[in-house]
Amino acid sequence: MAKKLVIVESPKKAKEIQKFLGKDYLVKATVGHFKDLPEKEMGVDLKTFEPSFVIKSPKHKKMLSEIKKLAKDKEVYIATDPDREGYAIGYFMYEELKKKAKDIKRAEFHEITEKHIKEVIKNAPEFEKTNFGLFNAFLGRRVGDRVVGYTLSPNASKEIGGRFSVGRVQSPAVRLVVEREKEIKEFKPTPYYVLTVFLEKDSFKFTAGYEKAKIEDKEKAEKIFEEIKPEKKAKVVKVEKKEVKQKPKPPFTTSTLQQAASSNLKFAPEKTMMLAQDLFESGLITYHRTDSVRISKEAVAGIRDFIKNEFGSEYLPTRARTYKSKNTQADAHEAIRITNFVNLEKQKNLIKQKGLTDDHFKLLKLIYERTIASQMQDAIFERTTAVFEIKKHKFKTTGSILKFEGYKKVYMEEENEQGEKQLLPPLEKGEVVDKIDQKLEEKWTKPPARYSEATLIKKLEELGIGRPSTYASIMKTIKDRGYVIKQGMSLVPTENAFHLIDYLDKHYKWVIDYDFTKRMEEFLDFVEQNKKNWKEFVKELYEKSTNRKTKAISKKMLNYALDLAKKHNRDISDILDNPEELSKFIEAHKETKPSEKQIAYAKSLAEKTGIELPEDVLEDKEKIKKWINKAKKEAMKTYQLSEKQKALLIKTDKNS
């Protein structure tokens, strides 16, 4: 019988750790969060802000009962993930076991490797001596988000008309996408002109552009073009050669990993996090929720040995590179890095041994490249800039030659960062080269690009909105709720997104205020450091959510009331400014039967998904709305739909 009990979240991680710890230990999994706020009610006392957490499911109830029996009079190690969410699961378990277990300790695994796990278990502190501020920060976020969502979502749904959800972090993200779309729609393109000359020296052809890259005046551009047209030569008036060194980027944080996986591999952030979770639990990478760029000294030594043996000492800087995180707190953790310092072929074999997929390997390869590159020599370029004169007009060209690839031998992400890739012939000041042609192009200024998931995450991080553990869920939520749809890699806001942001801007501006959201995130950081009280956080959100005296009458609500009045031959001119009376009138006279469009949409959904559509649902407007919502969620979740099909599903629902 095992003498010690170790508790983690995931059964996969439990299995991996069990191998390392042997028969004296029993490793059990909670299967994620086993306690949460109730699904269908607020679950928060709005006077004291005390939450009522419940066991999530019968499966979790059974698991808890089993763990309680196993923990009796045993030494217990709570080894849930090393972040707020992981600590919260651990704290709930500590509360359940503290009167049963002989002793409870806290183990934080940052990588699932034998040496690390045994070391952490050996030095694990008593749970009572750990930072309870992590749990309080979790409470602030969970309870605060519940209060905002449960207070404002019904208001938005009722007043705009339809189903709307409001979130403390998701709504500012939607605002960013909406504002960018407005910028694009309002953008007025203006013409500019680009003048290029084609030059040749000793049969070596190359190009140079007019010194002012963009000429805004058409007449001026045409005048220069005509003036240089007869000229057959160009004089070199300046040559500048410069050695340019390019340093590697630091190792990945959660945010930069999601951005790189989105740009390079076309993975959605939630997919990246799911794959990273598997890689972590299989012992192939360090913990994947972090905003640190630091790597442990031991790991740096391992990486440097690998570089020397695999690529040669010329690829190794004299001193190890060190990277510092933006906030000092982050450095308690490590960056996301590989745990086995072996080449790609061996990394691939490890993936196969663990029974993982090609997509897991693609992500591991990205992490491997960034980890190794971060400790390699600079890439060295020779950059030549030459200026030519033709009829007193200056033209400029730049060419770069890669002299030493350095870290680019492993990681080639920023291919074009060193300027133009064109090669130039040897050029000397004062010499004359042939001008063989010239070209004048009219171009138009372009609107700002739509956000992709990668650039939206980057923007949220810049604004201080969200944390490593939340970026993927923000992206997933705004897509699932039908506020954005993906077109290629771009995020496009739906009509509902515009309606929601207009509504919040008028009535609850604070929810979509970037600075306020950032301050709230910082407040939670202070809670984690035991410098602030989580209830103050919730109290401020609650007061702001309920501090609106009058409820607006939306255009949709007004039009609906007027249609009903016409249908029932009623005069409602005396209550058009009274939201309460108008609501009562709508409630008393509203149509209870579903529209033909709704019935047709529900039937097509039932046909596509195989979900039962009872007869009574087809007779009741409210019932059919609920059924459609449930079926749509099921279709989104269960069936392998493309982004285009999902967009169509959302659009059809909106029009029905």
Side-chain angles (χ1 to χ4, degrees), residues 290-295 323-335:
T290 176
D291 47 8
S292 169
V293 290
R294 183 185 68 82
I295 287 183
Y323 297 96
K324 282 200 171 177
S325 306
K326 286 173 194 166
N327 73 68
T328 49
Q329 247 191 303
D331 273 342
H333 303 288
E334 274 195 79

Side-chain angles (χ1 to χ4, degrees), residues 234-269:
K235 186 180 180 184
V236 182
V237 291
K238 186 181 176 185
V239 177
E240 197 177 62
K241 285 188 180 181
K242 197 177 176 184
E243 190 174 85
V244 178
K245 290 183 178 182
Q246 189 182 61
K247 286 180 164 45
K249 286 189 174 182
F252 283 128
T253 62
T254 304
S255 165
T256 54
L257 176 65
Q258 288 175 6
Q259 289 170 45
S262 176
S263 304
N264 298 6
L265 305 173
K266 308 292 182 269
F267 288 172

Side-chain angles (χ1 to χ4, degrees), residues 510-556:
W510 61 272
V511 181
I512 51 170
D513 182 287
Y514 304 133
D515 284 335
F516 176 77
T517 310
K518 180 187 179 180
R519 285 201 308 278
M520 290 283 98
E521 295 287 3
E522 287 166 352
F523 194 109
L524 287 176
D525 290 343
F526 285 126
V527 171
E528 187 177 316
Q529 296 162 46
N530 298 296
K531 292 175 183 174
K532 295 270 188 188
N533 186 318
W534 70 269
K535 285 191 178 181
E536 286 176 45
F537 176 86
V538 179
K539 186 175 182 239
E540 183 170 0
L541 291 173
Y542 175 66
E543 284 173 353
K544 282 184 172 292
S545 297
T546 52
N547 191 20
R548 188 176 144 227
K549 292 176 183 70
T550 56
K551 287 189 176 178
I553 299 168
S554 71
K555 195 176 176 185
K556 197 167 180 178

Side-chain angles (χ1 to χ4, degrees), residues 620-631:
D620 188 292
K621 196 167 192 170
E622 288 309 309
K623 280 184 184 176
I624 205 166
K625 267 188 187 177
K626 281 180 186 171
W627 186 92
I628 286 172
N629 201 25
K630 189 181 169 187

Side-chain angles (χ1 to χ4, degrees), residues 10 52 62 68 79 87 159 181 242 309 315 324 378 387-388 396 422 440 442 445 493 548-549 556-558 595 606 626:
S10 141
S52 300
K62 190 182 171 193
K68 278 181 174 178
Y87 189 90
E159 293 175 31
E181 198 68 18
K242 197 177 176 184
N309 296 330
Y315 285 91
K324 282 200 171 177
D378 294 348
V387 180
F388 304 88
K396 187 177 167 185
Q422 85 166 321
L440 180 63
E442 181 181 67
T445 53
R548 188 176 144 227
K549 292 176 183 70
K556 197 167 180 178
M557 181 183 181
L558 188 64
S595 69
K626 281 180 186 171

Side-chain angles (χ1 to χ4, degrees), residues 84-192:
R84 286 175 197 168
E85 298 293 315
Y87 189 90
I89 297 168
Y91 182 89
F92 283 133
M93 190 54 79
Y94 165 73
E95 286 290 307
E96 295 282 348
L97 303 182
K98 65 182 177 185
K99 289 179 183 168
K100 295 184 178 293
K102 183 173 84 175
D103 188 26
I104 302 179
K105 291 182 174 174
R106 170 70 173 146
E108 281 192 8
F109 301 143
H110 293 268
E111 56 182 87
I112 310 300
T113 55
E114 187 169 357
K115 187 184 175 188
H116 178 76
I117 281 162
K118 286 181 173 174
E119 202 174 288
V120 168
I121 290 284
K122 187 183 166 189
N123 300 309
E126 298 294 323
F127 200 96
E128 289 90 339
K129 291 178 183 171
T130 60
N131 178 19
F132 286 6
L134 283 156
F135 181 66
N136 291 330
F138 159 80
L139 282 179
R141 183 199 66 74
R142 189 72 191 92
V143 177
D145 288 356
R146 172 57 64 100
V147 165
V148 171
Y150 267 56
T151 307
L152 299 189
S153 298
N155 289 1
S157 300
K158 193 175 176 183
E159 293 175 31
I160 304 169
R163 285 186 302 277
F164 288 86
S165 74
V166 179
R168 184 182 60 84
V169 180
Q170 93 188 34
S171 296
V174 174
R175 178 189 164 190
L176 281 167
V177 181
V178 165
E179 284 185 340
R180 177 58 57 87
E181 198 68 18
K182 283 179 179 173
E183 280 180 62
I184 293 166
K185 281 178 179 171
E186 287 162 14
F187 183 82
K188 289 185 173 61
T190 55
Y192 65 93

